[in-house]
Amino acid sequence: MTTETRPSDPADPAAARAALLAAPGPVGRPRREELARLTDDWLSGLLDAAGAPPGVALVAVGGYGRGELSPRSDLDVLLLHEGPIARELPERIWYPVWDAGAKLDHSVRTLAEARAVAAADLKAQLGLLDARHLAGEPALTAELRAAVFTDWRASAPARLPELRELGRERAERHGELSFLLEPDLKEARGGLRDVVALNAVAATWLADAPRDGLDAAAQRLADVRDALHLVTGRATERLSLQDQDQVAERLGVLDADTLLRQVYEAARTIAYASDVTWRAVDRVLAARTGRGRRVARRAFPFTAPFTAPFTGAGRGAGAVARGAVERRPLAEGVVEQDGEAVLAQGARPAADPVLPLRAAAAAAQNGLTVSYATVRRLAAECRPLPTPWPDEAREQLVTLLGAGESAVPVWEALEAEGLVTRLLPDWERVRCRPQRNAVHRWTVDRHLVETAVRAAAMTRRVARPDLLLVAALLHDIGKGWPGDHSEAGEVIVRDLAPRMGFGPEDTETLAVLVRHHLTLVDTATRRDPDDPATVETITKAVTTLPELELLHALTEADALATGPAAWSGWRASLVDGLVARAADRLAGAGTAPVEAAPTAEQERLAVEAARTGEPALSLRAQAAGADPGTVPTGTAPMGTAPMGTEPMGVELTLAVPDRPGLLGTAAGVLALHRLAVRSAGLRELDPIGAGPVLLLSWRVAAEFGELPEAARLRADLRRALDGSLDVARRLAERDAAAPRRKGIPTPPPLVAVAPAVASATATVLEVRAHDAPGLLHRIGRALDGAGVRVRTAHVSTLGAEAVDSFYLTDAQGRPLDARRAAEVAAAVRAALD
């Protein structure tokens, strides 16, 4: 018989273990390894003392097999044998262990039996992946390990989905470790059991987890578990509230809150590594079945950017056709590949500081996440945003938040690589900060994200969805500072909002919302609703109806994101009643937006259009650090501005002699050229007394690729207006050819007729909808089909939300009656549905 040389049975193994745990020597992994070594020596001595025959090996499996033992861990041991053994042999080993007070999980099997059990029981197979020789025949243990790994790799395509489902079931039972006040360090999502699963995936050779920080996170959780075992004297995995102070003290941590933050940070590292790994597994398994390739071939004909809609393929089409059949454009510098957002081949992160937000927004709006490699590259190469942020950066942040639930995994990916704190340095104080309140479900930072998710479903209720979403993200940002968090948050927002590029009025609104985000619900539930002073409390906090509607939506989103106990029908009714009374107090006559006098350039274009009867246009783009330049009508191509150009700053002015359907037609041509409308205005001029000219002022950005040539854009507008180009048919053909995605859930569009006080000379139709290519074209066609004139229009795209107002009259220039206005609203609603 071949055996390793080990000490004989220790005289008092329990005393030796106790001495090790009480000694001031090494803690953490070194102590766990020393505890395992001490146990190895003990069990080896027991096997020798039992008189084991040849063909027998004692094998550590599971956590013990990994060579690390916590103070109260079970001992998982397998007695492996080749032939018949005496019944007394196992008892001679197990009984001394039980007598010493150790918990033992034991089995006695042949190699064939061990493989059969592993094939039938996934948990048993996972334990055997960590098999480690203790005593007896080393060759027998080596044979077991070789067979187990061979079986595991051969069965991986079938067993990995089962392993993933086990993780999901654990998460449903035990929750997410990084958000629980009394977390289970082993079984909750992001716990030690997930580390075992990640190692098992790596053992298949099909995929591996991102390793940066993963081992440190696992060791941190193991250290906390060690301290918990010593504090409680029990083999518990749950970090209960009553034990946290003592555990923190034993670990030398400042306090229980600091302890929880460290636990949460470790859990997030593990959970994020799990997400990345399982997505990689999905891709590998899909590739093996051929599903991924079939999807890619279906998508390939439609991946090229739309650069030459009517005259054949342009430069962009050829560029995409040369290569990746699995890449579909999402935004400038961002494409979809294998179900994730990745960087386009031509993306230059070092020269494009907005790219992280653009990639995140594009991913969230398409129900994707950003690939691990992409986030890593963005974190490594992108420069910080300038101060103040470019308009595009702010819009992309709003677009990301407006995606709702699908924004959460994207935000987690950004946070895992430090991109969130780079964008918002104040975020560090709330990151992983626990909330010791039974009402709260989340840490402070996740609560802020969840509030934005809830607010995304309420964007139709407010005129400024961008302010609502940003206020939701920042409303508790003061919780990282001493004192009243609302007051501290107001101070932070007054500094942060201008850095994000918000103007003085918007900064003031955000500060008011953060300062008073608890005022509505506190006042409604604690004050007499019939007391005039109660309403006055609200009207002193918010002084306009738009601010009131923002505060109302924020209050509800905040409560819903807190937890089930924070919002109820009773609370909602009290808040709604208080808001209604405050709105009555704040209500006043509405006024139409004041139109600025036309510029010299606008007047010149209007005169040209009136004299020629043809469309006249100009494009203006402002590059970073450069003065605005004008591309006159029909001049040379206007290509992509230098890197650093703010896409929000491209202005298109169009003057066209008035005719039916102009708004929808012009918007359709822009959609054909893949120009996203960020804002637009429409007004009438009569520059030479020859009849009205409609002046449309657009702010547009190319969805991806280059801006179209001004001459071609003008030519296509002319063809669309004279009927030789069927814009609606072209858009329909392109939409039908595009690959279909499930997309993200969005609130239904809202189409409403404003009260008569909104304008004395026109009927105001308000449209709020999720932005999409061709949205303004569909609205314009519906209005044209309804036989009404659009006298003026005010179009804004705030993040991914369109907030539009159209001032309508009948053919004689009069406001519409109530019945006619309702019919027009129904027609627009049908077009959007």
PDB file of all heavy atoms in Angstrom, residues 688-707:
ATOM      1  N   ILE A 688     -42.403  88.540 -48.825  1.00  0.00           N
ATOM      2  CA  ILE A 688     -42.533  89.469 -49.958  1.00  0.00           C
ATOM      3  C   ILE A 688     -43.992  89.708 -50.332  1.00  0.00           C
ATOM      4  O   ILE A 688     -44.288  90.242 -51.406  1.00  0.00           O
ATOM      5  CB  ILE A 688     -41.752  88.943 -51.184  1.00  0.00           C
ATOM      6  CG1 ILE A 688     -42.290  87.586 -51.648  1.00  0.00           C
ATOM      7  CG2 ILE A 688     -40.256  88.856 -50.876  1.00  0.00           C
ATOM      8  CD1 ILE A 688     -41.644  87.081 -52.925  1.00  0.00           C
ATOM      9  N   GLY A 689     -44.900  89.302 -49.441  1.00  0.00           N
ATOM     10  CA  GLY A 689     -46.313  89.519 -49.700  1.00  0.00           C
ATOM     11  C   GLY A 689     -46.876  88.650 -50.786  1.00  0.00           C
ATOM     12  O   GLY A 689     -47.956  88.939 -51.320  1.00  0.00           O
ATOM     13  N   ALA A 690     -46.182  87.540 -51.117  1.00  0.00           N
ATOM     14  CA  ALA A 690     -46.647  86.660 -52.193  1.00  0.00           C
ATOM     15  C   ALA A 690     -47.340  85.416 -51.650  1.00  0.00           C
ATOM     16  O   ALA A 690     -47.669  84.517 -52.408  1.00  0.00           O
ATOM     17  CB  ALA A 690     -45.461  86.237 -53.064  1.00  0.00           C
ATOM     18  N   GLY A 691     -47.577  85.360 -50.359  1.00  0.00           N
ATOM     19  CA  GLY A 691     -48.195  84.190 -49.760  1.00  0.00           C
ATOM     20  C   GLY A 691     -47.299  83.624 -48.665  1.00  0.00           C
ATOM     21  O   GLY A 691     -46.092  83.902 -48.626  1.00  0.00           O
ATOM     22  N   PRO A 692     -47.884  82.860 -47.774  1.00  0.00           N
ATOM     23  CA  PRO A 692     -47.113  82.397 -46.625  1.00  0.00           C
ATOM     24  C   PRO A 692     -46.029  81.378 -47.012  1.00  0.00           C
ATOM     25  O   PRO A 692     -46.216  80.553 -47.905  1.00  0.00           O
ATOM     26  CB  PRO A 692     -48.172  81.752 -45.723  1.00  0.00           C
ATOM     27  CG  PRO A 692     -49.278  81.375 -46.644  1.00  0.00           C
ATOM     28  CD  PRO A 692     -49.291  82.404 -47.739  1.00  0.00           C
ATOM     29  N   VAL A 693     -44.937  81.493 -46.303  1.00  0.00           N
ATOM     30  CA  VAL A 693     -43.846  80.528 -46.372  1.00  0.00           C
ATOM     31  C   VAL A 693     -43.716  79.895 -44.989  1.00  0.00           C
ATOM     32  O   VAL A 693     -43.718  80.600 -43.981  1.00  0.00           O
ATOM     33  CB  VAL A 693     -42.522  81.211 -46.774  1.00  0.00           C
ATOM     34  CG1 VAL A 693     -41.350  80.242 -46.601  1.00  0.00           C
ATOM     35  CG2 VAL A 693     -42.601  81.720 -48.197  1.00  0.00           C
ATOM     36  N   LEU A 694     -43.651  78.567 -44.972  1.00  0.00           N
ATOM     37  CA  LEU A 694     -43.459  77.881 -43.705  1.00  0.00           C
ATOM     38  C   LEU A 694     -41.965  77.749 -43.441  1.00  0.00           C
ATOM     39  O   LEU A 694     -41.203  77.290 -44.304  1.00  0.00           O
ATOM     40  CB  LEU A 694     -44.108  76.500 -43.727  1.00  0.00           C
ATOM     41  CG  LEU A 694     -45.642  76.474 -43.725  1.00  0.00           C
ATOM     42  CD1 LEU A 694     -46.140  75.046 -43.599  1.00  0.00           C
ATOM     43  CD2 LEU A 694     -46.214  77.325 -42.606  1.00  0.00           C
ATOM     44  N   LEU A 695     -41.578  78.150 -42.252  1.00  0.00           N
ATOM     45  CA  LEU A 695     -40.177  78.090 -41.852  1.00  0.00           C
ATOM     46  C   LEU A 695     -40.047  77.028 -40.772  1.00  0.00           C
ATOM     47  O   LEU A 695     -40.634  77.131 -39.694  1.00  0.00           O
ATOM     48  CB  LEU A 695     -39.728  79.451 -41.314  1.00  0.00           C
ATOM     49  CG  LEU A 695     -38.242  79.583 -41.011  1.00  0.00           C
ATOM     50  CD1 LEU A 695     -37.428  79.615 -42.298  1.00  0.00           C
ATOM     51  CD2 LEU A 695     -37.982  80.845 -40.198  1.00  0.00           C
ATOM     52  N   LEU A 696     -39.284  75.990 -41.074  1.00  0.00           N
ATOM     53  CA  LEU A 696     -39.072  74.898 -40.133  1.00  0.00           C
ATOM     54  C   LEU A 696     -37.628  74.942 -39.660  1.00  0.00           C
ATOM     55  O   LEU A 696     -36.691  74.906 -40.472  1.00  0.00           O
ATOM     56  CB  LEU A 696     -39.351  73.537 -40.782  1.00  0.00           C
ATOM     57  CG  LEU A 696     -40.801  73.286 -41.219  1.00  0.00           C
ATOM     58  CD1 LEU A 696     -40.957  73.614 -42.695  1.00  0.00           C
ATOM     59  CD2 LEU A 696     -41.208  71.844 -40.961  1.00  0.00           C
ATOM     60  N   SER A 697     -37.457  75.048 -38.361  1.00  0.00           N
ATOM     61  CA  SER A 697     -36.129  75.072 -37.761  1.00  0.00           C
ATOM     62  C   SER A 697     -35.931  73.766 -36.997  1.00  0.00           C
ATOM     63  O   SER A 697     -36.638  73.497 -36.020  1.00  0.00           O
ATOM     64  CB  SER A 697     -35.988  76.261 -36.810  1.00  0.00           C
ATOM     65  OG  SER A 697     -36.228  77.475 -37.498  1.00  0.00           O
ATOM     66  N   TRP A 698     -34.990  72.970 -37.453  1.00  0.00           N
ATOM     67  CA  TRP A 698     -34.767  71.650 -36.880  1.00  0.00           C
ATOM     68  C   TRP A 698     -33.415  71.607 -36.180  1.00  0.00           C
ATOM     69  O   TRP A 698     -32.449  72.241 -36.615  1.00  0.00           O
ATOM     70  CB  TRP A 698     -34.749  70.569 -37.966  1.00  0.00           C
ATOM     71  CG  TRP A 698     -35.866  70.594 -38.937  1.00  0.00           C
ATOM     72  CD1 TRP A 698     -35.981  71.402 -40.040  1.00  0.00           C
ATOM     73  CD2 TRP A 698     -37.031  69.776 -38.932  1.00  0.00           C
ATOM     74  NE1 TRP A 698     -37.136  71.131 -40.704  1.00  0.00           N
ATOM     75  CE2 TRP A 698     -37.810  70.130 -40.054  1.00  0.00           C
ATOM     76  CE3 TRP A 698     -37.500  68.767 -38.088  1.00  0.00           C
ATOM     77  CZ2 TRP A 698     -39.009  69.524 -40.357  1.00  0.00           C
ATOM     78  CZ3 TRP A 698     -38.693  68.148 -38.387  1.00  0.00           C
ATOM     79  CH2 TRP A 698     -39.444  68.527 -39.504  1.00  0.00           C
ATOM     80  N   ARG A 699     -33.341  70.815 -35.135  1.00  0.00           N
ATOM     81  CA  ARG A 699     -32.056  70.449 -34.551  1.00  0.00           C
ATOM     82  C   ARG A 699     -31.956  68.940 -34.686  1.00  0.00           C
ATOM     83  O   ARG A 699     -32.779  68.214 -34.122  1.00  0.00           O
ATOM     84  CB  ARG A 699     -31.966  70.862 -33.092  1.00  0.00           C
ATOM     85  CG  ARG A 699     -30.536  71.100 -32.652  1.00  0.00           C
ATOM     86  CD  ARG A 699     -30.490  71.839 -31.344  1.00  0.00           C
ATOM     87  NE  ARG A 699     -29.173  72.406 -31.101  1.00  0.00           N
ATOM     88  CZ  ARG A 699     -28.834  72.990 -29.976  1.00  0.00           C
ATOM     89  NH1 ARG A 699     -29.728  73.120 -29.022  1.00  0.00           N
ATOM     90  NH2 ARG A 699     -27.621  73.471 -29.809  1.00  0.00           N
ATOM     91  N   VAL A 700     -30.990  68.496 -35.457  1.00  0.00           N
ATOM     92  CA  VAL A 700     -30.934  67.085 -35.816  1.00  0.00           C
ATOM     93  C   VAL A 700     -29.554  66.528 -35.541  1.00  0.00           C
ATOM     94  O   VAL A 700     -28.568  67.254 -35.378  1.00  0.00           O
ATOM     95  CB  VAL A 700     -31.298  66.880 -37.305  1.00  0.00           C
ATOM     96  CG1 VAL A 700     -32.704  67.375 -37.592  1.00  0.00           C
ATOM     97  CG2 VAL A 700     -30.286  67.575 -38.210  1.00  0.00           C
ATOM     98  N   ALA A 701     -29.492  65.205 -35.498  1.00  0.00           N
ATOM     99  CA  ALA A 701     -28.221  64.493 -35.363  1.00  0.00           C
ATOM    100  C   ALA A 701     -28.317  63.230 -36.194  1.00  0.00           C
ATOM    101  O   ALA A 701     -29.385  62.606 -36.283  1.00  0.00           O
ATOM    102  CB  ALA A 701     -27.931  64.150 -33.907  1.00  0.00           C
ATOM    103  N   ALA A 702     -27.220  62.861 -36.840  1.00  0.00           N
ATOM    104  CA  ALA A 702     -27.187  61.598 -37.582  1.00  0.00           C
ATOM    105  C   ALA A 702     -27.259  60.443 -36.595  1.00  0.00           C
ATOM    106  O   ALA A 702     -26.578  60.449 -35.567  1.00  0.00           O
ATOM    107  CB  ALA A 702     -25.909  61.514 -38.411  1.00  0.00           C
ATOM    108  N   GLU A 703     -28.127  59.472 -36.896  1.00  0.00           N
ATOM    109  CA  GLU A 703     -28.218  58.316 -36.009  1.00  0.00           C
ATOM    110  C   GLU A 703     -26.873  57.620 -35.906  1.00  0.00           C
ATOM    111  O   GLU A 703     -26.444  57.191 -34.839  1.00  0.00           O
ATOM    112  CB  GLU A 703     -29.280  57.338 -36.514  1.00  0.00           C
ATOM    113  CG  GLU A 703     -30.700  57.875 -36.402  1.00  0.00           C
ATOM    114  CD  GLU A 703     -31.725  56.864 -36.885  1.00  0.00           C
ATOM    115  OE1 GLU A 703     -31.384  55.663 -36.987  1.00  0.00           O
ATOM    116  OE2 GLU A 703     -32.857  57.261 -37.182  1.00  0.00           O
ATOM    117  N   PHE A 704     -26.199  57.442 -37.024  1.00  0.00           N
ATOM    118  CA  PHE A 704     -24.824  56.964 -37.075  1.00  0.00           C
ATOM    119  C   PHE A 704     -24.295  57.291 -38.460  1.00  0.00           C
ATOM    120  O   PHE A 704     -25.041  57.527 -39.398  1.00  0.00           O
ATOM    121  CB  PHE A 704     -24.705  55.450 -36.821  1.00  0.00           C
ATOM    122  CG  PHE A 704     -25.912  54.647 -37.196  1.00  0.00           C
ATOM    123  CD1 PHE A 704     -26.253  54.427 -38.524  1.00  0.00           C
ATOM    124  CD2 PHE A 704     -26.734  54.119 -36.219  1.00  0.00           C
ATOM    125  CE1 PHE A 704     -27.365  53.686 -38.868  1.00  0.00           C
ATOM    126  CE2 PHE A 704     -27.853  53.392 -36.555  1.00  0.00           C
ATOM    127  CZ  PHE A 704     -28.181  53.173 -37.871  1.00  0.00           C
ATOM    128  N   GLY A 705     -22.982  57.347 -38.569  1.00  0.00           N
ATOM    129  CA  GLY A 705     -22.390  57.703 -39.847  1.00  0.00           C
ATOM    130  C   GLY A 705     -22.354  59.204 -40.055  1.00  0.00           C
ATOM    131  O   GLY A 705     -22.379  59.990 -39.114  1.00  0.00           O
ATOM    132  N   GLU A 706     -22.337  59.615 -41.317  1.00  0.00           N
ATOM    133  CA  GLU A 706     -22.172  61.006 -41.668  1.00  0.00           C
ATOM    134  C   GLU A 706     -23.500  61.694 -41.917  1.00  0.00           C
ATOM    135  O   GLU A 706     -24.507  61.059 -42.235  1.00  0.00           O
ATOM    136  CB  GLU A 706     -21.299  61.124 -42.930  1.00  0.00           C
ATOM    137  CG  GLU A 706     -19.896  60.557 -42.758  1.00  0.00           C
ATOM    138  CD  GLU A 706     -19.064  60.726 -44.014  1.00  0.00           C
ATOM    139  OE1 GLU A 706     -19.658  61.087 -45.065  1.00  0.00           O
ATOM    140  OE2 GLU A 706     -17.852  60.515 -43.952  1.00  0.00           O
ATOM    141  N   LEU A 707     -23.488  63.007 -41.794  1.00  0.00           N
ATOM    142  CA  LEU A 707     -24.642  63.795 -42.194  1.00  0.00           C
ATOM    143  C   LEU A 707     -24.785  63.741 -43.708  1.00  0.00           C
ATOM    144  O   LEU A 707     -23.792  63.612 -44.435  1.00  0.00           O
ATOM    145  CB  LEU A 707     -24.470  65.247 -41.752  1.00  0.00           C
ATOM    146  CG  LEU A 707     -24.523  65.511 -40.243  1.00  0.00           C
ATOM    147  CD1 LEU A 707     -24.025  66.918 -39.962  1.00  0.00           C
ATOM    148  CD2 LEU A 707     -25.932  65.346 -39.729  1.00  0.00           C
TER     149      LEU A 707
END
